[in-house]
Amino acid sequence: MDNFDFDKILSKENTDGERSWAGRSDVSPAVIKRLPRYFRYLRELIRNGKTRISSGELSEIMHVTASQIRQDLNCFGGFGQQGYGYNVNYLYAKICDILGVGMGFRGIIIGAGNLGTALIKNPMFEKRGVDIIAMFDVDPNIVGKVIAGRIVYHMDDLEKFCKENRVDLAVLTLPKELAQDAAERAVRLGVRGLWNFTGKEFYFDENVAVENVHLGDSLMTLCYKLCQINHRIGEQSDED
Amino acid sequence: MDNFDFDKILSKENTDGERSWAGRSDVSPAVIKRLPRYFRYLRELIRNGKTRISSGELSEIMHVTASQIRQDLNCFGGFGQQGYGYNVNYLYAKICDILGVGMGFRGIIIGAGNLGTALIKNPMFEKRGVDIIAMFDVDPNIVGKVIAGRIVYHMDDLEKFCKENRVDLAVLTLPKELAQDAAERAVRLGVRGLWNFTGKEFYFDENVAVENVHLGDSLMTLCYKLCQINHRIGEQSDED
DNA sequence: TAGATTGTTAATCGATTAACAATC
DNA sequence: TAGATTGTTAATCGATTAACAATC
């Protein structure tokens, strides 16, 4: 059950013969932002052998309203069936289609330090159908190594590599100071997606997709919540 | 200029004598989510020696509307001055206060693998005033080591450590399978904040702050954007 | 058919933007 | 004073929730 073949679900009857939603949607950002979470929970359901689910049931598991789930899923057409609910496999296949899982995107990781290594060792990429085909670094102690099956090339070979291999996206896990240069080189070589962990925020033109990840922002949100809790608890004990 | 003393700004006239906002605010989630970004940009301005800024100028740098900036900053009272703009140091100090920078939160990292190591080697924690005082792991090859100045203890010593040291938050960078147990133990020991990278989503009671980080969601958002771009570009060449 | 559950509309709620009076 | 820029209100926009008719 644990090594469930998710790819099979994508290549089966669930997708055959139907027009793909990939890239076509004109859906609100709020909905799009929630889709990856549906993806995760649907995989979990599939792994647990669940084949059908109602919006009510899913709402309990995911801690959102059933109304929102129905509204969200309906943006892309009727995935469900009245009186029955949703077919889990079918729904999973649809969401994968919308999000580009199965598009066969290929990526490279620039910066093979701890963060780059942590990411490549995580099954995250495979699960989402992204194939990381190489890593790059400048450190002579790292260049030439093989990490999780990927060769670490020297940054000097970036141009050569990108000309010989189609690269759709680059994961930027290198130091901030080198980030701008690396990003610009990658984009010049035709890379259209940047997953950016460097802390710098990049703004390219509309033909380059950028995801700026700021872990520090998340840490601050946690600290904010901690303040709220501490404050509330402090107040309570004041009242004693 | 690069090793600017940000702490000095927090301890100076900017905070003295005024009632702290920490924990007191009743502000919309949308605003709170944006504050860490202001924090980053304000630091950048300070590092560049800028002492005053208008909402218009900041809006250009941050790619948001000036109106939103004024609205956001006003949730906490008048930080600015008509005809002048905002004092950068003062604004920085205020936002730090709201977000709990300077509260002296202390944390531990549970899981000293590549991700835990990547995080501790990043200046992120210091910048936000969070003091990571120890790391924990179960791997005998890692336990006993010192990473970025922090001793890696065995998980068996978690109880002992938490009883001898106040621990406000725990960073969970350990494998999914061990996550639930580690989280519950930490909470039982009085830890009130969990920065959770394990992929599992935790729901504790209202007295435990949890930030569930899902890097895969961010990767999927990138893939979605890539699909959109590919689709648009594909359409254009169809029209030729 | 009866029961269940979606699809979809309408109502509510919240967040963003625009505009300008207040004021430094 | 004149110019600049905030603070704040009102208008717009978008997202969420509630409700129920359609339908499996």
Side-chain angles (χ1 to χ4, degrees), chain A:
Chain A
M1 191 70 84
D2 244 59
N3 277 328
F4 198 94
D5 188 358
F6 286 96
D7 288 345
K8 209 170 146 194
I9 297 170
L10 297 190
S11 57
K12 268 198 320 180
E13 71 279 6
N14 296 316
T15 46
D16 284 1
E18 286 181 39
R19 179 165 148 286
S20 171
W21 277 100
R24 285 173 191 271
S25 56
D26 182 25
V27 175
S28 87
V31 176
I32 297 302
K33 235 179 37 215
R34 282 193 290 267
L35 290 184
R37 191 154 178 268
Y38 287 116
F39 170 86
R40 281 191 279 116
Y41 276 87
L42 286 168
R43 280 182 78 95
E44 187 68 18
L45 288 172
I46 291 170
R47 280 212 310 124
N48 294 172
K50 195 137 176 83
T51 57
R52 99 186 218 195
I53 195 156
S54 70
S55 58
E57 212 179 337
L58 192 53
S59 87
E60 276 188 32
I61 300 172
M62 294 184 66
H63 293 83
V64 295
T65 66
S67 197
Q68 178 165 85
I69 289 175
R70 290 202 299 278
Q71 198 77 276
D72 282 356
L73 299 182
N74 243 140
C75 292
F76 305 93
F79 290 171
Q81 203 175 338
Q82 276 113 329
Y84 174 90
Y86 298 88
N87 175 311
V88 175
N89 283 3
Y90 180 76
L91 194 52
Y92 174 76
K94 283 298 155 196
I95 285 178
C96 282
D97 178 37
I98 295 161
L99 291 173
V101 178
M103 292 287 283
F105 287 131
R106 284 142 56 102
I108 57 175
I109 295 180
I110 302 181
N114 281 302
L115 184 54
T117 304
L119 294 178
I120 194 60
K121 286 188 174 168
N122 192 293
M124 173 171 46
F125 291 107
E126 299 149 54
K127 283 183 181 170
R128 288 159 184 83
V130 174
D131 190 12
I132 299 298
I133 55 177
M135 298 178 80
F136 290 84
D137 210 299
V138 291
D139 184 339
N141 297 315
I142 297 178
V143 171
K145 276 194 180 172
V146 175
I147 301 176
R150 279 73 166 189
I151 298 168
V152 181
Y153 295 95
H154 194 279
M155 271 302 278
D156 291 346
D157 298 328
L158 186 68
E159 275 71 17
K160 185 167 179 289
F161 186 91
C162 289
K163 275 165 192 165
E164 291 171 359
N165 302 274
R166 193 196 79 231
V167 176
D168 299 299
L169 63 91
V171 184
L172 303 176
T173 48
L174 71 171
K176 221 191 193 105
E177 307 78 57
L178 308 171
Q180 185 80 44
D181 178 59
E184 283 173 8
R185 276 170 72 191
V187 169
R188 227 180 296 120
L189 291 162
V191 173
R192 289 225 181 95
L194 297 175
W195 199 20
N196 176 26
F197 287 84
T198 65
K200 256 187 146 290
E201 288 188 4
F202 293 124
Y203 302 96
F204 285 91
D205 66 71
E206 47 158 27
N207 288 328
V208 179
V210 184
E211 266 287 297
N212 296 306
V213 179
H214 288 279
L215 295 179
D217 289 6
S218 167
L219 174 61
M220 290 197 102
T221 305
L222 180 66
C223 289
Y224 174 82
K225 291 180 190 168
L226 264 177
C227 285
Q228 302 280 108
I229 290 172
N230 282 169
H231 191 255
R232 201 175 54 236
I233 291 176
E235 252 175 4
Q236 283 172 352
S237 58
D238 282 355
E239 285 161 14
D240 288 350

Side-chain angles (χ1 to χ4, degrees), chain B residues 108-123:
Chain B
I108 58 174
I109 295 180
I110 303 180
N114 281 301
L115 184 53
T117 304
L119 293 178
I120 193 60
K121 286 190 174 168
N122 192 293

Side-chain angles (χ1 to χ4, degrees), chain B residues 208-225:
Chain B
V208 179
V210 183
E211 265 288 296
N212 295 305
V213 179
H214 288 280
L215 295 179
D217 289 6
S218 167
L219 174 61
M220 291 197 102
T221 304
L222 180 66
C223 289
Y224 175 81
K225 291 180 191 170

Side-chain angles (χ1 to χ4, degrees), chain B residues 26-61:
Chain B
D26 181 25
V27 176
S28 86
V31 175
I32 297 301
K33 234 178 38 212
R34 282 193 290 267
L35 291 184
R37 193 155 177 266
Y38 287 116
F39 169 85
R40 284 191 277 118
Y41 276 87
L42 287 168
R43 279 181 79 95
E44 187 68 19
L45 288 171
I46 291 169
R47 280 212 312 123
N48 295 172
K50 197 138 174 81
T51 58
R52 97 185 221 197
I53 195 156
S54 70
S55 58
E57 214 179 334
L58 192 54
S59 87
E60 278 188 30
I61 299 171

Side-chain angles (χ1 to χ4, degrees), chain B residues 31 34-35 37-38 41-42 53-77 79-80 86 91 95:
Chain B
V31 175
R34 282 193 290 267
L35 291 184
R37 193 155 177 266
Y38 287 116
Y41 276 87
L42 287 168
I53 195 156
S54 70
S55 58
E57 214 179 334
L58 192 54
S59 87
E60 278 188 30
I61 299 171
M62 293 184 66
H63 292 84
V64 296
T65 65
S67 197
Q68 178 164 86
I69 289 174
R70 290 202 299 277
Q71 199 76 274
D72 283 357
L73 299 182
N74 243 139
C75 292
F76 304 93
F79 290 172
Y86 298 87
L91 194 53
I95 286 178

